[in-house]
Amino acid sequence: MQKIIRWRWPLLVLWLALTVVLTIIQPDINAILHERGQNPLTADSRSVVAGKLLKEMTKTEGNSDLIVFTSDNPLSDTEMKNLESGIQELKDKQAELGFTDLIDPFTTPEAKSTLVSEDNTTVMIPFTLDIKGRSVDDIQEQFDIALKDVTVPYYLSGEDFIQNDYLKASITGVEKSAALTIIFILVVLILMFRSIIIPFVSLLAVGVSYLVSMGIAAQIIDKLNFPVTSVTQMLLVLILFGIGTDYNILLFNRFKEELAHGKSTDEAIITSYRTAGKTIVYSILTVFFAFACLSFSNFGIYKSANVVAIGTVILLLEILTLTPFIMKVLGPKLFWPSRNVDGHKESRLMGGLATFSVKRPIITVVVIAVLLIPVLLTGGQKLSFDQIEELGTGYPSTKGFSIVADKFSRGQALPTTVVIQGKEALDNNDAFGVIDELTNAIKDIPGIKSVSSITQPVGQPIDDFYISGQTAEITKGISASRDGINSIKGGLDQMQAGLTNADFSQADQLAAGTAQVKDGYEQISAALSKVASGIDGGASGAKELQSAIDKMHGGLSEIATQTSKLSGGLDKLQKGYVSAQGGFDELVGNLPNIQGGLKAMNGLIGKLGQSHSELSEDADYTTLRTTGQQLSTALASISSGFTKLQGNYKQLNTSFGSTTSGLKQLAAAQTRIVSGLNELSKGASQLSAGLKQGSSGSRELAANLKKLNTALAGIQDGQEQLNTGLGTLTGGLTELKTGLQKSSQGLGDISDGLDKTGSFLTQMGTTKTFFIPSEALQDQSFQQAMDTFLSKDRKITKMIVILDEDPYSSAALNVVEQINEKLDSGLKGTVLDGAVHGAAGPSSTTYDMNNEQLASFNNTAVIVIISVFLVLLLVIRSFLPAVYIVLSLLAAYFVGMGASKLVTAYIIGADGLSSFVPFFSFIVIVAVGVDYGIFLMMRYKEYGELNHSEAIKRAARSVGGVIISAMIILGGTFATLIPSGLVLLIELATAVIVGLVVLTFVLLPMLVPALMALPGALRDRRK
């Protein structure tokens, strides 16, 4: 110390030079903070990953912001046109303003319902803003210039503008707090020392350490990219001025005591540093280690408080080198105009509390423990991450956002965006199916208002994009085909009932057509066998399924052609029968005349025999007469046969009419089936996904089709028998009837098979399997949706999730957690297994911050407590007192947090404590509060010749005034945060002040002495 006193002037010059240089070259911390923001998350956080994917997807930088145009009355047409002109002016200056993705209700009418409030008083215009190194204030000015002609009041809000107002409010609060801190310290020091010199000297010395610390910290923040937040500078101001003034009080009081004992200035300085100086060094070490431990934190906001560790080192150097200069130069004049050079008076309050505790340690410990139990049991904190609530509606950005919350919803203004990056392109039905299932899964989460994705661009499923809608057309064709077959069956039944005998010379075409029908249905059977194999094979057989359906399409096309030919053949056959029936009718009509002629001729032959009796012996005459009689008899029999045949012809023609009509209906139904199969072919590549659920149904379908094929074979056999029977009229009618009966039975089987097929397809249509036909995939409107929801390389997709909840609320954080769980489980085991994914937006960022800060808090708190305990152990060299002080610090922290919780709930009316309050309250109470314990225990060690009880009472009485003064100084500096109006600072001030008060007046003077005296009291009680 003597060397420092000797080199005091060079040291002064060095300090002044260092202060001036570092202040001049110091980077603007506020500008750095505005440029970087204060996102403390690590690169592997889900929200950070999602944000990077979004930037890669859109090829744009920036955050989500919005313009809120609002009026007290509904906007008129003139005002809407004025808004449209203003927005167009913005678009004309888009490059200059630096925004992208602006959506308005004028160029995007389909978005009007989401951008214009129901009462037509408010219009919300969302956009993405890239700051590009500019200040948000400058950007706001640029927007104001572009919108100067807009007559409707407006507010700029969103992430950038809310964050900017929050930072400005924090900076304003810090500046106000700094000014109030200086004034407060001046007043307290003047009252305490009754001196004008000490307050200014103390503030000057601490001010120099602050400027040097801030200069070094600013260089580290700027050059080494060290974390910085809105509370970084505030903590440095409060801690340095608080503890710096405390240490000066301790040092100057000891210096005053030594001067009062008649020592010289140099001797008083050396003695003060040997006693109080040692205490200060130990105290600074605890603060240093507590804040240095924040280097182990992964949470950027916590780590940013590490600058206080830098400040404590500079403060220690200042106290050891610059303060001795002040004490040497001013000497006793330091306390002018006070003439009282006595040391700090003893504290009867602290001494009395310690005396009572030592005298009644058991009662003291039990009472304090009982009082702490409710505090500890209710120590759980409900945290709030809502910067908007902390700011209130006194800022343009928060006022605009509150209007959006009233007119729309907070969730709509600040949506959550789910982002997925696949290994391959996602523009295919396999990927779309997974995305659609995820979309529906996220929709089912309570608290979700809507989800928009590539498969549901407007937030609702599109029925045409699902297998259920696409199978409906096929089902209609099958139904019509079944009706046609039933008509044919009815015609064949009529033919079977009416046919007895006929000439079927033109039936060859019918048999040939039937054979071709059988061949066509054999193709169908083969194709559907492949379909069944494709169904059992799963999605990997989709191409084979499509090929099979194409063959089915070809087979049915051929059947339709042959059915038309068959219909034409039957039509011609019917016409032949009609013509034949005319001949029969004419023949039957002439038979009576022939019969009459033969009868007359036989009469003439008889009369001729009577007239010429000799003719009776004539052989020729006898033959003629016999032949005439036989011919008459035969002709009567023929006439009867032809009459019956004429009736059969009429019945046959009627049956052929029904058959021809049924075949025409069958041809029409088959045409519809061909059309339906053509549509089904387009969707076959994805149909397998839905058919997996109906594997048993597919086997049943295959069995039905096999039955259908068998029935067709029966039809062919029946038709061949029909052809054979028609070739021989006299003996073939029975076989024809048999063939028609088999044909009718076969058609009945076909009708039954088609009915079961239709039922299966109807059941399959109830499953919501996504599939988009190739035509829709190439549609212009869907291409626009892909451009919106997919990246250019089609490997990244996004979903826009609108929450029902406040994006910053605890409920919203629970929703984000469920979204993450749905993403993890929904992608696993699919074609998108292993895809990079995450959720971006305020809710997701807040969720990640909450998780990271809680984990970091727990880990860092343990490290801080251990380091403080080790320093205490080093200083007081006694295990149990070190434990007692640590327990007192923890109890003070919980009491302080309980008080802050009450103020938040019942005075501020906020939903929860600001998220950063617990940690910073902990670090301040523990790191700074431990100084008071060190003050007490260092003085306790000076009374080593006394017993423990007497030593602790003497120490409390002797140093109690210093501890109270230090608590008043530090508590007062934090009290200067209250006028800032920021909820965060008010809650922090409340926790620290209450914690320090309880530590100073209850825990240190009562609990610690009582615990130290407790073992002796217990021994005495046992005796």
Side-chain angles (χ1 to χ4, degrees):
M1 182 54 64
Q2 289 179 343
K3 291 182 179 179
I4 293 175
I5 294 173
R6 189 181 309 120
W7 288 89
R8 61 186 178 278
W9 289 105
L11 289 172
L12 174 65
V13 173
L14 179 62
W15 275 106
L16 292 177
L18 195 61
T19 302
V20 171
V21 171
L22 288 175
T23 302
I24 292 174
I25 66 173
Q26 176 180 317
D28 188 347
I29 294 297
N30 293 333
I32 295 174
L33 183 58
H34 279 291
E35 181 180 352
R36 291 187 193 171
Q38 53 179 12
N39 188 349
L41 297 175
T42 56
D44 59 347
S45 299
R46 285 179 181 263
S47 58
V48 175
V49 170
K52 290 180 180 178
L53 290 178
L54 267 182
K55 290 178 180 179
E56 183 180 346
M57 175 181 175
T58 60
K59 304 300 181 184
T60 59
E61 299 283 339
N63 295 319
S64 299
D65 293 308
L66 48 91
I67 310 173
V68 182
F69 297 93
T70 187
S71 176
D72 294 334
N73 301 313
L75 297 172
S76 64
D77 292 341
T78 302
E79 288 175 320
M80 292 297 284
K81 289 180 180 179
N82 179 248
L83 288 185
E84 184 175 4
S85 300
I87 293 171
Q88 186 58 49
E89 183 68 19
L90 289 177
K91 292 181 178 180
D92 294 340
K93 298 180 179 180
Q94 179 173 346
E96 176 186 348
L97 294 173
F99 69 81
T100 56
D101 302 332
L102 185 145
I103 305 175
D104 66 87
F106 307 107
T107 56
T108 313
E110 58 270 20
K112 184 175 181 179
S113 60
T114 60
L115 300 179
V116 180
S117 62
E118 292 183 1
D119 60 4
N120 205 44
T121 61
T122 306
V123 177
M124 178 177 64
I125 308 296
F127 61 93
T128 301
L129 178 64
D130 185 3
I131 294 178
K132 298 179 180 178
R134 301 169 294 168
S135 73
V136 177
D137 290 334
D138 290 340
I139 294 173
Q140 176 139 7
E141 185 177 347
Q142 289 177 310
F143 271 85
D144 290 338
I145 293 173
L147 296 172
K148 64 181 184 300
D149 295 328
V150 175
T151 58
V152 180
Y154 66 90
Y155 301 93
L156 289 169
S157 188
E159 294 182 60
D160 290 308
F161 296 97
I162 292 173
Q163 182 70 14
N164 183 61
D165 283 340
Y166 186 82
L167 293 178
K168 286 196 296 185
S170 299
I171 293 169
T172 302
V174 169
E175 293 173 349
K176 185 186 296 185
S177 174
L180 292 174
T181 296
I182 293 173
I183 295 172
F184 173 78
I185 291 175
L186 281 173
V187 172
V188 171
L189 290 179
I190 290 173
L191 295 175
M192 184 179 297
F193 287 97
R194 310 286 181 175
S195 169
I196 298 176
I197 305 298
I198 284 183
F200 290 98
V201 168
S202 177
L203 284 174
L204 179 64
V206 177
V208 168
S209 66
Y210 167 74
L211 292 175
V212 173
S213 302
M214 197 67 241
I216 296 173
Q219 296 295 333
I220 294 174
I221 291 170
D222 183 37
K223 302 299 189 300
L224 301 181
N225 199 33
F226 195 79
V228 60
T229 68
S230 58
V231 299
T232 301
Q233 194 171 358
M234 177 199 72
L235 277 178
L236 192 59
V237 170
L238 296 176
I239 299 298
L240 283 189
F241 278 92
I243 67 174
T245 303
D246 290 347
Y247 298 153
N248 283 338
I249 291 173
L250 181 64
L251 190 61
F252 291 156
N253 267 312
R254 192 62 184 240
F255 180 57
K256 192 176 182 180
E257 287 180 14
E258 299 304 325
L259 288 175
H261 293 157
K263 293 182 179 180
S264 66
T265 300
D266 287 2
E267 290 174 339
I269 292 173
I270 294 172
T271 304
S272 297
Y273 273 93
R274 189 170 54 246
T275 53
K278 185 186 293 185
T279 301
I280 291 171
V281 170
Y282 288 145
S283 298
I284 288 182
L285 279 177
T286 59
V287 178
F288 169 78
F289 280 113
F291 281 95
C293 288
L294 301 183
S295 300
F296 298 101
S297 174
N298 294 323
F299 195 59
I301 291 179
Y302 293 171
K303 186 179 290 186
S304 69
N306 210 336
V307 297
V308 175
I310 299 173
T312 57
V313 173
I314 302 302
L315 178 63
L316 178 59
L317 293 175
E318 179 275 319
I319 290 174
L320 293 176
T321 58
L322 183 58
T323 302
F325 167 85
I326 298 171
M327 298 167 72
K328 171 63 178 176
V329 170
L330 295 177
K333 296 178 182 178
L334 186 64
F335 306 99
W336 184 87
S338 174
R339 295 185 179 182
N340 181 13
V341 294
D342 292 337
H344 202 285
K345 294 181 180 180
E346 292 184 346
S347 174
R348 287 184 293 178
L349 174 61
M350 294 283 281
L353 293 174
T355 300
F356 175 85
S357 301
V358 170
K359 188 175 180 180
R360 295 178 176 82
I362 298 177
I363 294 176
T364 302
V365 171
V366 170
V367 170
I368 293 177
V370 169
L371 293 175
L372 287 176
I373 287 175
V375 176
L376 297 176
L377 292 178
T378 59
Q381 305 296 333
K382 181 180 180 182
L383 301 182
S384 170
F385 298 84
D386 194 346
Q387 292 182 342
I388 300 171
E389 185 178 27
E390 291 183 19
L391 280 172
T393 58
Y395 296 85
S397 62
T398 56
K399 187 172 183 179
F401 194 80
S402 67
I403 292 173
V404 171
D406 291 338
K407 300 297 183 178
F408 302 93
S409 69
R410 284 194 171 194
Q412 186 172 336
L414 295 176
T416 296
T417 304
V418 173
V419 192
I420 302 171
Q421 182 183 43
K423 299 175 183 178
E424 305 293 338
L426 306 178
D427 55 347
N428 56 80
N429 278 307
D430 290 336
F432 286 163
V434 177
I435 294 170
D436 192 65
E437 289 182 5
L438 279 175
T439 302
N440 292 326
I442 294 174
K443 273 186 180 181
D444 292 337
I445 298 174
I448 297 290
K449 183 176 182 181
S450 65
V451 181
S452 301
S453 66
I454 181 61
T455 62
Q456 301 182 29
V458 295
Q460 296 294 332
I462 301 174
D463 290 339
D464 291 341
F465 289 176
Y466 293 89
I467 293 295
S468 56
Q470 296 162 9
T471 55
E473 187 66 24
I474 300 174
T475 305
K476 292 179 182 177
I478 289 177
S479 178
S481 178
R482 184 190 61 218
D483 293 341
I485 288 175
N486 288 336
S487 297
I488 296 175
K489 181 177 179 297
L492 291 178
D493 289 341
Q494 291 179 11
M495 289 177 65
Q496 177 190 351
L499 274 180
T500 55
N501 196 7
D503 180 14
F504 297 99
S505 60
Q506 297 187 26
D508 291 337
Q509 189 173 0
L510 175 62
T514 302
Q516 290 174 343
V517 170
K518 176 178 177 295
D519 292 339
Y521 271 102
E522 286 176 349
Q523 292 181 29
I524 294 175
S525 177
L528 287 179
S529 296
K530 292 183 179 181
V531 171
S533 299
I535 291 172
D536 290 333
S540 61
K543 291 184 178 179
E544 182 180 353
L545 176 61
Q546 183 176 5
S547 174
I549 292 174
D550 288 341
K551 290 183 179 180
M552 186 194 303
H553 174 268
L556 276 177
S557 298
E558 182 65 23
I559 290 172
T561 301
Q562 297 304 323
T563 301
S564 298
K565 290 182 179 180
L566 179 60
S567 177
L570 285 176
D571 189 54
K572 290 179 180 181
L573 186 60
Q574 182 183 12
K575 291 179 180 179
Y577 277 123
V578 170
S579 177
Q581 182 176 354
F584 274 122
D585 290 342
E586 184 178 357
L587 179 60
V588 171
N590 291 327
L591 282 176
N593 295 331
I594 297 173
Q595 284 179 313
L598 282 175
K599 186 177 181 180
M601 184 181 70
N602 286 333
L604 291 176
I605 292 172
K607 289 181 179 181
L608 182 62
Q610 293 175 2
S611 301
H612 302 279
S613 57
E614 68 275 8
L615 291 176
S616 59
E617 302 295 333
D618 189 346
D620 292 331
Y621 173 77
T622 302
T623 300
L624 177 62
R625 186 179 60 187
T626 303
T627 299
Q629 290 174 351
Q630 291 177 352
L631 184 59
S632 179
T633 303
L635 189 58
S637 177
I638 289 173
S639 177
S640 174
F642 270 109
T643 299
K644 187 175 181 180
L645 181 60
Q646 183 182 28
N648 290 339
Y649 261 107
K650 290 180 180 180
Q651 292 181 7
L652 183 60
N653 278 336
T654 301
S655 298
F656 267 120
S658 299
T659 302
T660 302
S661 175
L663 283 175
K664 287 180 179 179
Q665 292 180 21
L666 176 61
Q670 287 169 339
T671 300
R672 295 180 64 182
I673 293 176
V674 169
S675 176
L677 285 174
N678 186 44
E679 188 68 23
L680 181 61
S681 175
K682 298 172 185 175
S685 61
Q686 186 62 25
L687 182 58
S688 59
L691 291 178
K692 285 180 180 179
Q693 302 176 9
S695 179
S696 61
S698 66
R699 294 188 181 92
E700 181 182 353
L701 176 60
N704 290 334
L705 289 174
K706 184 176 181 181
K707 184 177 180 181
L708 184 149
N709 218 22
T710 303
L712 283 175
I715 292 174
Q716 183 183 11
D717 181 62
Q719 295 292 350
E720 288 175 352
Q721 293 181 22
L722 173 64
N723 188 33
T724 302
L726 291 175
T728 308
L729 179 63
T730 55
L733 288 178
T734 301
E735 295 181 3
L736 178 60
K737 280 186 176 182
T738 302
L740 288 175
Q741 184 178 7
K742 290 183 178 181
S743 297
S744 177
Q745 291 174 351
L747 288 174
D749 292 339
I750 292 174
S751 177
D752 183 58
L754 288 176
D755 185 59
K756 292 181 179 179
T757 301
S759 299
F760 170 73
L761 290 176
T762 300
Q763 182 180 3
M764 186 185 69
T766 60
T767 60
K768 296 287 288 187
T769 302
F770 184 89
F771 175 78
I772 180 169
S774 57
E775 291 85 353
L777 192 62
Q778 301 301 322
D779 184 71
Q780 183 178 358
S781 60
F782 191 76
Q783 287 292 320
Q784 291 176 351
M786 287 204 295
D787 291 339
T788 300
F789 290 96
L790 293 176
S791 59
K792 288 186 178 180
D793 62 2
R794 303 314 194 208
K795 290 186 177 181
I796 304 176
T797 187
K798 68 178 181 180
M799 304 177 190
I800 300 175
V801 182
I802 306 297
L803 274 62
D804 269 333
E805 311 291 347
D806 184 328
Y808 294 102
S809 65
S810 299
L813 303 192
N814 293 332
V815 171
V816 171
E817 182 175 8
Q818 294 182 67
I819 289 175
N820 289 334
E821 291 174 355
K822 293 290 186 183
L823 285 173
D824 293 339
S825 61
L827 294 175
K828 189 175 182 180
T830 69
V831 294
L832 297 184
D833 195 354
V836 180
H837 59 279
S843 300
S844 181
T845 300
T846 302
Y847 173 79
D848 288 342
M849 286 178 62
N850 184 37
N851 289 341
E852 288 198 19
Q853 82 161 356
L854 287 177
S856 183
F857 185 2
N858 295 332
N859 295 334
T860 307
V862 172
I863 296 174
V864 169
I865 291 172
I866 293 174
S867 63
V868 167
F869 174 75
L870 292 176
V871 173
L872 276 172
L873 202 58
L874 175 66
V875 172
I876 63 180
R877 300 183 184 279
S878 180
F879 181 81
L880 287 178
V883 173
Y884 300 154
I885 292 176
V886 170
L887 291 176
S888 298
L889 294 173
L890 293 175
Y893 164 71
F894 282 106
V895 172
M897 290 307 301
S900 184
K901 182 178 179 181
L902 292 175
V903 169
T904 300
Y906 296 105
I907 298 178
I908 299 176
D911 189 44
L913 281 173
S914 297
S915 57
F916 304 143
V917 169
F919 178 79
F920 286 115
S921 299
F922 171 82
I923 197 68
V924 171
I925 291 174
V926 171
V928 179
V930 72
D931 285 356
Y932 306 160
I934 291 176
F935 291 171
L936 178 65
M937 298 310 296
M938 288 299 289
R939 184 57 67 98
Y940 165 80
K941 289 179 63 178
E942 291 184 14
Y943 301 110
E945 72 280 0
L946 303 176
N947 62 54
H948 294 309
S949 298
E950 186 62 27
I952 194 66
K953 289 190 292 183
R954 284 276 194 94
R957 190 162 49 243
S958 176
V959 82
V962 175
I963 294 175
I964 293 174
S965 299
M967 184 276 297
I968 291 173
I969 292 292
L970 188 60
T973 58
F974 275 88
T976 60
L977 297 176
I978 296 176
S980 68
L982 283 177
V983 174
L984 164 65
L985 302 185
I986 295 172
E987 292 172 345
L988 178 61
T990 302
V992 171
I993 292 170
V994 173
L996 292 180
V997 167
V998 172
L999 180 67
T1000 301
F1001 293 106
V1002 178
L1003 300 174
L1004 282 181
M1006 298 185 71
L1007 181 62
V1008 171
L1011 289 172
M1012 293 176 67
L1014 187 60
L1018 292 176
R1019 284 196 300 269
D1020 294 340
R1021 193 178 184 86
R1022 282 196 295 269
K1023 291 179 181 179

